[in-house]
Amino acid sequence: MASASHRRSLRKRRALVVSAAVVAAGVGAGALVLSANATSAVDLYHQTLAAKDGWASSGSGTTGGAKADSAHTFTVSTRAQLVKALGPASATTPRIIKIKGTIDANTDDSGKKLTCADYAAGTGYSLSAYLKAFDPSTYGRSKLPSGAQESARAAAQKKQAANIVFKVPANTTIVGVPGTKAGITGGMLQIQKVDNVIVRNLTFSDTEDCFPQWDPTDGDSGNWNSEYDAVTLRGATHVWADHNTFTDAGHFDSLNPKYYGREYQVHDGELDITKSSDLVTVEHNQFTSHDKTMLIGSSDSEPSGKLRVTLHHNIWKGVVQRAPLTRVGQVHLYNNVYDVTPLNGYALQYSINSRAKAQVVAQNNFWTVPGSVKVSKLLSGDGTGSIAGSGNLVNGTTTDLVAAYNAANSKKIKTTVNWTPTLTAGLESSAKNLPAELAKTAGVGVLTAS
């Protein structure tokens, strides 16, 4: 693939893991994180995105809640505390939210565990009644479900959403407290039509929709579609997602039953960037054990000029597809690691999809590919998208991914783009050492607070 970027030196504030004991232990151990000049520990909670670190550094940059006063600095460990700390979605006062431990989104204000049956109570919904009402053998396959049971399903889903969707206001930093297994299980951070948000050092696990909708018109055989992403950006700007781990752990898709011959899918995305979101940097995260992992652009008709996203130094391991799926925007993928070996029942469909005239630069990434997977399967497209770049390795060998894909497919991926990345802090000129490097430096368990 053609070269399409300028290399920039490592940003001065890039964290270095210096403990030999931690290197031996790998991801998940506590680590002392120092600035590059090794003079002081990083203030994790007030840290802002460095200059030229991807699209989110553009313009005003991304500072989150760095200017928060003591009245707007919170430490939370329950769902109710998190909701209170977030405040109204329309708020703009800078705030820092430190999450200590794992928050179960499926709990009430007193901390009582809630189940799917609790959300369905009083709505009239039951899965057995829903399956009977919309059985394709009697209902047909030409129209979406409607009627009493579909209305009941929507009402039950609305009850769950009121409990598990956390609406993030502008100028907010949300950070997991190191050493506490910080994260959110079963919930969704919704960053919608707000600017300047930072999300770091959290594990997002098993964001599960109790009430998937049957769509008989989706594909040749219909599909069950779920509602919630672990983190969703909708019309958001200046967002930095850093050192998080995303996983279905707790309920892998292999546990899903089939109805009408199709998987009853309870998971949607891990981190979706849609509705003309813009100026986003996603770095040093782990995406693992998931199907529809990251969507950039929710519609082929989204307007141009937005959806500018940088993804660098992330691990994608055991994901089926959308790593990412890109539409319309200008997306830079550099120094990421893809391990497409099947994991926990998740087997590759493709890694990167460029469609709807997306302009992707994929540079110096590393794929680990088992012999059972063809290199031509690593990409996907609709014939209108572009993927440029260079230095991509497959099992350590420089490989032209677009040429491999185009040789096997009639809808060709274009090899030129209409932009040149310049916000490339930390870009490494070779992908050779990335698997070993990112195994120790991506995801949760690496950052510490001063």
Side-chain angles (χ1 to χ4, degrees), residues 116 119-120 125-131 134 144-145 149-158 160 207-216 218 223-228 251 253 256-260 262-268 292:
C116 296
Y119 298 127
Y125 173 86
S126 77
L127 178 58
S128 60
Y130 190 90
L131 292 173
F134 303 113
L144 289 171
Q149 269 302 301
E150 172 57 22
S151 296
R153 185 205 64 80
Q157 190 177 67
K158 186 177 180 180
Q160 185 183 16
T207 301
E208 182 176 338
D209 186 349
C210 286
F211 311 103
Q213 181 186 39
W214 170 244
D215 183 352
D218 185 352
N223 274 306
W224 292 95
N225 294 314
S226 55
E227 182 67 19
Y228 310 111
H251 181 114
D253 283 354
N256 293 338
K258 288 186 177 181
Y259 300 119
Y260 310 150
R262 302 297 291 167
E263 180 184 351
Y264 190 68
Q265 179 56 268
V266 298
H267 299 126
D268 195 12
K292 296 176 287 186

Side-chain angles (χ1 to χ4, degrees), residues 147-220:
Q149 269 302 301
E150 172 57 22
S151 296
R153 185 205 64 80
Q157 190 177 67
K158 186 177 180 180
K159 284 179 66 178
Q160 185 183 16
N163 212 76
I164 73 168
V165 176
F166 303 106
K167 298 180 180 180
V168 181
N171 305 316
T172 296
T173 293
I174 305 176
V175 180
V177 176
T180 69
K181 298 183 179 179
I184 297 173
T185 184
M188 177 172 84
L189 288 185
Q190 180 176 293
I191 306 170
Q192 181 168 321
K193 296 182 179 179
V194 297
D195 181 69
N196 194 29
V197 173
I198 295 172
V199 180
R200 306 181 75 195
N201 202 44
L202 293 165
T203 295
F204 295 92
S205 60
D206 191 21
T207 301
E208 182 176 338
D209 186 349
C210 286
F211 311 103
Q213 181 186 39
W214 170 244
D215 183 352
T217 69
D218 185 352
D220 295 334

Side-chain angles (χ1 to χ4, degrees), residues 8-326:
R8 293 290 186 269
S9 61
L10 288 172
R11 63 184 171 108
K12 292 183 179 179
R13 225 174 9 82
R14 174 67 63 212
L16 298 177
V17 180
V18 298
S19 168
V22 170
V23 170
V27 172
L32 176 63
V33 180
L34 303 179
S35 61
N37 58 17
T39 59
S40 61
V42 171
D43 179 353
L44 179 61
Y45 306 114
H46 292 85
Q47 192 172 7
T48 62
L49 182 64
K52 296 191 177 296
D53 192 349
W55 275 116
S57 67
S58 182
S60 59
T62 302
T63 60
K67 294 182 179 180
D69 57 22
S70 59
H72 293 89
T73 300
F74 310 90
T75 299
V76 303
S77 57
T78 69
R79 174 195 159 275
Q81 290 172 351
L82 176 58
V83 171
K84 184 177 180 180
L86 287 167
S90 59
T92 58
T93 303
R95 69 193 60 222
I96 294 171
I97 301 174
K98 307 173 185 179
I99 294 182
K100 187 176 183 179
T102 302
I103 292 176
D104 187 344
N106 289 293
T107 52
D108 66 14
D109 288 347
S110 68
K112 177 187 174 183
K113 178 68 178 176
L114 297 176
T115 67
C116 296
D118 292 316
Y119 298 127
T123 65
Y125 173 86
S126 77
L127 178 58
S128 60
Y130 190 90
L131 292 173
K132 182 178 180 180
F134 303 113
D135 188 327
S137 66
T138 54
Y139 185 79
R141 294 183 176 272
S142 62
K143 59 182 179 179
L144 289 171
S146 63
Q149 269 302 301
E150 172 57 22
S151 296
R153 185 205 64 80
Q157 190 177 67
K158 186 177 180 180
K159 284 179 66 178
Q160 185 183 16
N163 212 76
I164 73 168
V165 176
F166 303 106
K167 298 180 180 180
V168 181
N171 305 316
T172 296
T173 293
I174 305 176
V175 180
V177 176
T180 69
K181 298 183 179 179
I184 297 173
T185 184
M188 177 172 84
L189 288 185
Q190 180 176 293
I191 306 170
Q192 181 168 321
K193 296 182 179 179
V194 297
D195 181 69
N196 194 29
V197 173
I198 295 172
V199 180
R200 306 181 75 195
N201 202 44
L202 293 165
T203 295
F204 295 92
S205 60
D206 191 21
T207 301
E208 182 176 338
D209 186 349
C210 286
F211 311 103
Q213 181 186 39
W214 170 244
D215 183 352
T217 69
D218 185 352
D220 295 334
S221 303
N223 274 306
W224 292 95
N225 294 314
S226 55
E227 182 67 19
Y228 310 111
D229 309 317
V231 177
T232 188
L233 279 58
R234 302 174 182 176
T237 53
H238 289 110
V239 178
W240 179 29
D242 171 60
H243 281 94
N244 303 293
T245 294
F246 297 82
T247 177
D248 286 352
H251 181 114
F252 294 134
D253 283 354
S254 58
L255 297 175
N256 293 338
K258 288 186 177 181
Y259 300 119
Y260 310 150
R262 302 297 291 167
E263 180 184 351
Y264 190 68
Q265 179 56 268
V266 298
H267 299 126
D268 195 12
E270 290 194 316
L271 171 56
D272 280 5
I273 303 165
T274 63
K275 304 293 185 182
S276 294
S277 292
D278 197 25
L279 304 178
V280 179
T281 297
V282 179
E283 62 170 296
H284 285 90
N285 301 280
Q286 288 198 39
F287 300 93
T288 183
S289 299
H290 192 81
D291 185 355
K292 296 176 287 186
T293 308
M294 179 182 291
L295 185 63
I296 300 177
S298 52
S299 169
D300 287 359
S301 61
E302 288 202 37
S304 61
K306 305 288 187 179
L307 297 171
R308 291 174 290 180
V309 180
T310 300
L311 308 172
H312 72 84
H313 292 90
N314 301 289
I315 294 176
W316 312 77
K317 186 174 183 178
V319 302
V320 177
Q321 58 180 316
R322 301 186 182 180
L325 184 155
T326 64

